[in-house]
Amino acid sequence: MTDLDIKKGSNNKSAYNLRDPLSELTESHTLAVMVDNESGVLARVIGLFSGRGYNIDSLTVAEVDHSGKLSRITIVTNGTPAVIEQIKAQLERMVPVHAVHDLTVEGRTIERELALIKVAGSGEKRVEALRLADVFRANVVDSTLKSFTFEIKGTPEKIDAFCDLMRPLGLKELARTGVAALSRGK
Amino acid sequence: MPNFTGAEIVIKSLLSQGVDTVFGYPGGAVLPIYDEIFKEKQIKHILVRHEQAAVHAAEGYARSTGKTGVVLVTSGPGATNAVTGMTDALMDSIPLVVLTGQVPTFMIGNDAFQEADTVGITRPCTKHNWLVRDTNKLAETIHKAFHVAANGRPGPVLVDIPKDVQFADGIFKEPKEIKNTYHVRRVRPDNASIEEVSQAIRNAKKPMIYSGGGVINSGKKASNLLRMLVSKTNFPITSTLMGLGSYPASGENWLGMLGMHGTYEANMAMHDCDVLICIGARFDDRITGRTDAFSPNSYKIHIDIDPSSINKNIQVDVPLVSDIEIALKEIINTWEKGGSETQRTSIKKWWSKISEWKNVKCLAYKQAGEFIKPQYAIDRLEKITSKMDRYITTEVGQHQMWAAQYMKFEEPNRWMTSGGLGTMGYGFPSSIGVQIAYPKSLVINVAGEASWLMNMQELGTAVQYGLPVKQFILNNERLGMVRQWQELLHGERYSHSWSESLPDFEKLADAYGIKGITCSNPKYLDDSIEEMVNHPGPVIFNCVVEKHENCFPMIPSGKAHNEMILGEIGEKDSVDSAGAVLV
Ligand SMILES: Cc1ncc(C[n+]2csc(CCOP(=O)(O)OP(=O)(O)O)c2C)c(N)n1
Ligand SMILES: [Mg+2]
């Protein structure tokens, strides 16, 4: 691969050391994979990632074309550019895969995620949680005298930020959908 | 539309796919299909003695004929026994359709008797697999399975058929009624890349062609085009273990196999070349050695049908995703249209450099004394059988590498060996598959005694079907290749690497009513080989050889091509700790 920068005679390299994480910087990519919605298809895709040592940061899947029985799997992954290329090539050659779109390189994308967040507390903390929820446009979907459950949608970063703020205010439970993504325009 | 039972549909589908031979083993979950096989006389069913052997036999059949091999086994243990074979076929890109029985649909998930999650277990070791829950989908699925197995980069596929689906009625469809949604994303090589390749051919001063199993998978025409390209350009050519035979060993430009146990000239030329054309090979770690030192100064062209093979291990300058035959045709045409130029003078100099490397005679050995050198045994086998209509299979180990080094293949599809997976036990059943395809030809399995034991139960199959397969066993009473690594890497501590309590091979042959030959004296070797070859039935040839012979040349793990070990191991050649962790 490009410039592994090994000092002569210092050590040995082989194919096993190829994915040296320090040799190249890793990048995060969002892939949209169109697949036949047949039994086992998700296991196949996940098995590819675990079997070949690729990372999955987020994964969502749902049927998007009921008549054509097509599902869209959105995967956020990270790796060196070479590994990302491998991931796409490996996905593309799977039999139930119709298309693989690397949204990260295909131009600007819209990424959205939904989260449900339970925050328990009282007094000042409870008020502050509510105030911040307002700032983030999170809705209260359930409330008791001791807790709120917020619903928030937005980019994963926005949700991360909201959760970080909620943590000291009594974040109890968190459920996230994972990323859904589309490319902009056209 | 007339209805058929699922079991009938299986047989009708196989027939309409042109299948004449099935390798299999029955059991509860496939009894309805076996009932149909009983009635159907057009399909020859070969009863093996272990399901792993069924798959290897189908591989041997497929590799020697270019057709898709077919396997039929039962659920649970039948399917799990087939896993090694399928993994082997996946690694070596061999087209197979494996049919497995499954417990009835209403019992799936209940830990029923002989239930296994076959599609789950075999998902990573097949190109694709299907569980058929509806008899109406059965024909369609089997036809799709054949399509997927043979198209694009070939590989094994599996169709899991629950027993109730075999009993139920459903519709049958012909292959032409099926819409195949699996399209090989085979981009025809684009003109710009073809032009770049022909430009590289024109400019290369120190060119090298490195071909692989993809040429053989692409078909006989691809091999012919490869030969044409080589003879027109006068470029030197080497090949992987998988690609032997696509360019003839007697060809003037042949440098022998490359890689870990490849020839000195092939590896040195790989290291020093300025243009490297990889045709249907995948830069496997056995080929490249240390990747950062692999062919450091070359402009690299990679032609492969599978885009995921490109830039996986080695970054290349020109990727060409294409069937080999199509790509070679276009490359030759474009280059010829542009005037068929090459850098003749430089290439002549390059050839004289290569002759120097050839003069090292890296495969030289000395047969002296009372023991048979394994190299000598293979050499004699080669000399005696080279003019015959001959197919060679091998097991895995030193003997396999010696066979690759000393046997000469003039045609593709004549050499069947487990390359990617390195499966001991491959050779014997594979030789059975080949012999089924070519009943009149000479089929020899070059074996090591340890590997051979792994599927020796197949003696029963060979005898039952009257298959005159020759089992040429290089018996060093050692797990030779393991022992060699222990010598090189583990301070000569020979931990569990010898073959104890071996059977008396002649008596074993006798027990099966076939011929057994033992030869331990170099003086009688030729006569014994002649005897084996001339015997009309199966033969177990126990060739007792030198026990501690090492297989050289060798690129130790973690070393570069120009750091080969040639003969006896010196201090500086020993593998350091970083190399020792590699396999
Ligand atoms: C199924 C399997 N188990 C283990 C190995 C590891 N292995 C590679 S070569 C070898 C020894 C083979 O011995 P033998 O068949 O006698 O061949 P030799 O090297 O002696 O020629 C072993 C154990 C393997 N390749 N396959
Ligand atoms: Mg041995």
Side-chain angles (χ1 to χ4, degrees):
Chain A
M1 319 260 61
T2 49
D3 295 321
L4 273 173
D5 187 32
I6 299 147
K7 282 189 211 75
K8 269 252 143 46
S10 62
N11 62 358
N12 292 303
K13 289 274 169 178
S14 88
Y16 294 82
N17 303 64
L18 207 68
R19 290 175 187 151
D20 181 355
L22 298 175
S23 67
E24 285 171 286
L25 290 177
T26 63
E27 299 172 351
S28 175
H29 281 241
T30 305
L31 308 178
V33 189
M34 301 303 296
V35 298
D36 288 320
N37 185 12
E38 59 185 31
S39 99
V41 67
L42 188 60
R44 241 175 254 288
V45 170
I46 292 174
L48 172 75
F49 275 74
S50 62
R52 292 185 183 264
Y54 307 143
N55 303 310
I56 298 180
D57 296 328
S58 159
L59 180 124
T60 62
V61 54
E63 191 170 272
V64 290
D65 173 355
H66 297 302
S67 60
K69 289 209 150 302
L70 283 183
S71 287
R72 184 179 176 106
I73 302 178
T74 308
I75 305 170
V76 181
T77 181
N78 69 73
T80 61
V83 168
I84 300 285
E85 286 310 307
Q86 260 300 299
I87 292 174
K88 289 190 275 185
Q90 292 288 351
L91 282 169
E92 256 165 8
R93 71 178 187 148
M94 298 180 90
V95 174
V97 170
H98 289 242
V100 179
H101 299 284
D102 185 342
L103 300 177
T104 307
V105 300
E106 283 180 11
R108 295 191 304 145
T109 55
I110 308 164
E111 298 195 353
R112 288 293 178 272
E113 192 177 357
L114 184 125
L116 296 172
I117 300 161
K118 189 177 286 176
V119 181
S122 58
E124 199 42 47
K125 282 189 173 170
R126 189 170 155 87
V127 177
E128 180 64 7
L130 210 53
R131 210 182 56 75
L132 284 169
D134 201 36
V135 173
F136 277 77
R137 301 204 187 140
N139 298 323
V140 177
V141 291
D142 181 46
S143 56
T144 67
L145 290 174
K146 293 208 181 80
S147 70
F148 288 119
T149 301
F150 298 115
E151 169 204 77
I152 180 170
K153 68 175 189 325
T155 63
E157 293 75 27
K158 175 180 164 184
I159 293 171
D160 284 346
F162 185 65
C163 294
D164 287 347
L165 290 168
M166 287 301 122
R167 227 158 250 128
L169 300 177
L171 189 151
K172 282 280 172 289
E173 245 185 303
L174 171 63
R176 295 175 71 150
T177 58
V179 175
L182 284 181
S183 56
R184 280 181 190 272
K186 278 170 279 173
Chain B
M1 208 178 269
N3 274 10
F4 299 95
T5 68
E8 286 170 335
I9 290 171
V10 170
I11 301 303
K12 282 178 77 70
S13 303
L14 293 180
L15 285 172
S16 60
Q17 287 290 343
V19 173
D20 52 19
T21 307
V22 173
F23 299 90
Y25 206 90
V30 278
L31 284 179
I33 299 175
Y34 269 88
D35 219 9
E36 293 309 313
I37 284 189
F38 188 79
K39 300 175 201 159
E40 173 54 59
K41 294 291 170 249
Q42 261 175 280
I43 292 183
K44 194 172 1 158
H45 176 276
I46 306 299
L47 178 73
V48 292
R49 300 301 187 266
H50 187 294
E51 289 87 350
Q52 181 192 353
V55 187
H56 293 324
E59 284 187 276
Y61 181 88
R63 287 179 73 157
S64 59
T65 61
K67 294 196 247 176
T68 297
V70 182
V71 175
L72 172 62
V73 297
T74 192
S75 67
T80 55
N81 273 349
V83 164
T84 302
M86 284 185 276
T87 312
D88 190 90
L90 186 73
M91 292 290 267
D92 285 348
S93 309
I94 309 303
L96 297 182
V97 171
V98 179
L99 306 173
T100 50
Q102 182 55 280
V103 302
T105 47
F106 51 84
M107 292 176 83
I108 288 178
N110 285 353
D111 299 322
F113 178 62
Q114 295 195 327
E115 179 182 358
D117 175 9
T118 302
V119 288
I121 290 169
T122 63
R123 210 173 273 135
C125 66
T126 52
K127 191 173 164 190
H128 196 64
N129 61 18
W130 296 261
L131 168 65
V132 184
R133 290 173 175 274
D134 176 357
T135 307
N136 289 317
K137 292 264 172 66
L138 192 51
E140 180 178 339
T141 308
I142 292 174
H143 295 320
K144 279 186 178 168
F146 276 89
H147 178 78
V148 170
N151 268 272
R153 178 175 177 176
V157 300
L158 179 143
V159 183
D160 200 23
I161 313 172
K163 197 170 182 179
D164 55 335
V165 173
Q166 298 170 33
F167 275 126
D169 284 349
I171 48 166
F172 169 73
K173 287 182 180 166
E174 290 289 345
K176 58 177 183 296
E177 297 173 67
I178 310 299
K179 201 175 116 239
N180 277 306
T181 49
Y182 170 69
H183 297 294
V184 179
R185 296 156 193 94
R186 178 210 287 189
V187 199
R188 275 185 83 84
D190 62 296
N191 294 341
S193 307
I194 293 284
E195 184 49 52
E196 280 181 71
V197 176
S198 50
Q199 197 58 42
I201 294 175
R202 272 178 219 124
N203 294 340
K205 296 196 165 73
K206 297 189 283 176
M208 185 70 179
I209 295 176
Y210 143 50
S211 73
V215 181
I216 293 172
N217 273 339
S218 178
K220 288 241 157 58
K221 281 190 192 147
S223 289
N224 290 338
L225 286 162
L226 178 70
R227 291 161 190 224
M228 195 190 281
L229 178 72
V230 172
S231 79
K232 286 182 187 231
T233 57
N234 192 30
F235 285 4
I237 176 168
T238 180
S239 153
T240 64
L241 182 73
M242 291 295 295
L244 297 178
S246 50
Y247 183 82
S250 61
E252 276 179 29
N253 297 40
W254 178 238
L255 302 193
M257 182 176 77
L258 84 162
M260 187 173 267
H261 292 289
T263 65
Y264 185 68
E265 51 271 31
N267 286 331
M268 291 304 282
M270 286 293 282
H271 191 266
D272 279 11
C273 65
D274 69 346
V275 169
L276 178 60
I277 309 178
C278 168
I279 307 175
R282 59 186 176 92
F283 297 97
D284 171 80
D285 55 75
R286 296 292 100 155
I287 294 306
T288 60
R290 181 176 159 181
T291 48
D292 66 307
F294 172 75
S295 194
N297 304 313
S298 60
Y299 179 78
K300 298 181 182 69
I301 295 157
H302 188 182
I303 314 170
D304 202 296
I305 200 164
D306 178 4
S308 77
S309 284
I310 289 172
N311 290 337
K312 182 170 67 180
N313 298 335
I314 296 292
Q315 204 80 38
V316 297
D317 300 283
V318 187
L320 268 182
V321 178
S322 169
D323 177 69
I324 301 301
E325 184 195 330
I326 299 173
L328 286 180
K329 207 183 284 167
E330 298 204 1
I331 288 168
I332 294 173
N333 280 343
T334 310
W335 170 69
E336 287 193 324
K337 267 194 213 125
S340 315
E341 262 176 85
T342 55
Q343 302 292 321
R344 279 162 206 259
T345 6
S346 308
I347 292 173
K348 220 169 165 187
K349 255 197 245 156
W350 178 227
W351 271 111
S352 62
K353 182 83 204 158
I354 291 171
S355 334
E356 284 173 30
W357 291 325
K358 274 192 176 170
N359 284 340
V360 167
K361 300 213 180 330
C362 67
L363 294 179
Y365 63 89
K366 232 200 238 118
Q367 171 61 50
E370 54 192 310
F371 295 111
I372 299 173
K373 284 259 187 192
Q375 299 92 323
Y376 179 69
I378 302 283
D379 219 0
R380 293 316 303 160
L381 181 69
E382 162 63 25
K383 298 273 155 49
I384 292 167
T385 62
S386 63
K387 294 279 169 312
M388 299 175 181
D389 170 21
R390 171 192 86 174
Y391 292 82
I392 302 291
T393 69
T394 78
E395 302 288 347
V396 170
Q398 292 179 315
H399 63 276
Q400 176 190 30
M401 293 298 115
W402 282 315
Q405 290 172 337
Y406 294 94
M407 303 210 79
K408 309 259 179 284
F409 299 96
E410 298 296 316
E411 294 296 328
N413 307 95
R414 295 274 176 171
W415 162 249
M416 274 57 56
T417 192
S418 171
L421 195 65
T423 312
M424 291 171 70
Y426 168 88
F428 188 5
S430 178
S431 71
I432 285 175
V434 176
Q435 191 82 73
I436 292 284
Y438 301 99
K440 298 250 153 60
S441 305
L442 175 64
V443 181
I444 305 170
N445 173 30
V446 176
E449 83 294 340
S451 297
W452 192 80
L453 294 181
M454 284 209 179
N455 270 321
M456 64 183 250
Q457 77 284 345
E458 296 308 314
L459 280 169
T461 313
V463 172
Q464 178 179 346
Y465 296 96
L467 305 172
V469 287
K470 315 299 184 216
Q471 303 303 312
F472 190 73
I473 302 173
L474 290 188
N475 182 0
N476 52 8
E477 294 175 23
R478 296 292 179 280
L479 282 56
M481 190 57 95
V482 170
R483 192 210 55 76
Q484 176 169 344
W485 279 57
Q486 289 171 335
E487 180 179 334
L488 287 167
L489 292 145
H490 297 272
E492 297 179 47
R493 291 179 295 280
Y494 297 131
S495 181
H496 299 272
S497 59
W498 67 93
S499 297
E500 223 173 86
S501 312
L502 284 170
D504 176 328
F505 286 102
E506 279 183 78
K507 279 193 181 149
L508 185 64
D510 204 33
Y512 274 92
I514 62 172
K515 189 173 188 67
I517 300 173
T518 296
C519 181
S520 52
N521 187 332
K523 270 201 298 210
Y524 305 127
L525 184 61
D526 278 18
D527 287 348
S528 302
I529 292 174
E530 299 273 5
E531 189 186 351
M532 170 183 88
V533 170
N534 293 329
H535 183 73
V539 176
I540 302 177
F541 190 117
N542 175 26
C543 187
V544 181
V545 296
E546 182 93 48
K547 297 185 198 321
H548 277 211
E549 189 69 20
N550 281 327
C551 182
F552 291 123
M554 177 178 186
I555 306 176
S557 287
K559 297 272 184 183
H561 278 174
N562 58 350
E563 299 176 285
M564 305 194 78
I565 306 177
L566 280 172
E568 281 315 298
I569 309 153
E571 187 65 29
K572 78 171 187 4
D573 296 325
S574 68
V575 180
D576 53 30
S577 56
V581 302
L582 304 175
V583 288

